[in-house]
Amino acid sequence: MELRQLVAEDASAYWELRLEALKTSPEAFGASYEEAMRRDNPIERVKGNLSVKGNYTFGAFDQSKLVGMVTLAQESNLKMKHRANIFAMYVSPIGRGQGTGKALMRLAIDQARESREIEKINLSVVTSNEAAKNLYLQLGFKVFGTEDMALKVGDTYYGEHHMSLILN
């Protein structure tokens, strides 16, 4: 398994995995597969996003195929630059059970520590996703709030735990 920060040349692979994530785990993301499919120039948008200062997207590759991803995005406002958020965390079924998610999260946490500006990382996880919640707890994240009915997929509502990790 190769782990590294994604660059503009990875945009197509990222977009393919993003669509898989939205399609197979719709309850885990605020965006929907249908919305993603309607985007104009998605690959160009991804290339731009991969180049934003303060954003770091890491990927896990299995035999040159992207099987996992996570984005760490630092807040840009002066009073909030000490915070970052984890977005778009996903590991394809073929990459699960091998520590891929934990390795990606550790990369993101290490990047936050290296920045010397980020002191706190926030994320949200669907309350029913025990595997992800347990991973985050193992890494030191703590639940600081729960939002009922945070997402609605079809006729089903999903709650979210809001979690944070204070970096020392």
Side-chain angles (χ1 to χ4, degrees), residues 19-86:
L19 291 177
E20 174 189 315
L22 295 174
K23 195 170 198 176
T24 62
S25 302
E27 75 286 352
F29 301 96
S32 72
Y33 177 80
E34 295 77 16
E35 288 169 319
M37 292 302 294
R38 290 193 299 264
R39 287 201 176 131
D40 292 330
N41 303 314
I43 305 300
E44 291 304 314
R45 289 176 128 196
V46 170
K47 284 180 183 178
N49 291 342
L50 291 174
S51 304
V52 172
K53 185 180 185 309
N55 283 6
Y56 306 90
T57 299
F58 299 98
F61 294 83
D62 184 8
Q63 299 179 14
S64 300
K65 180 171 175 48
L66 185 63
V67 298
M69 61 189 178
V70 65
T71 296
L72 173 76
Q74 183 177 7
E75 297 276 355
S76 59
N77 291 340
L78 185 61
K79 293 180 183 180
M80 295 187 283
K81 285 183 78 82
H82 68 288
R83 301 186 329 194
N85 298 288
I86 293 289

Side-chain angles (χ1 to χ4, degrees), residues 1 4 22 34 72 74 84 91-92 104 122 147 152:
M1 189 79 55
R4 63 174 174 79
L22 295 174
E34 295 77 16
L72 173 76
Q74 183 177 7
V91 177
S92 183
L104 285 167
N122 294 324
E147 181 180 359
K152 184 177 180 183

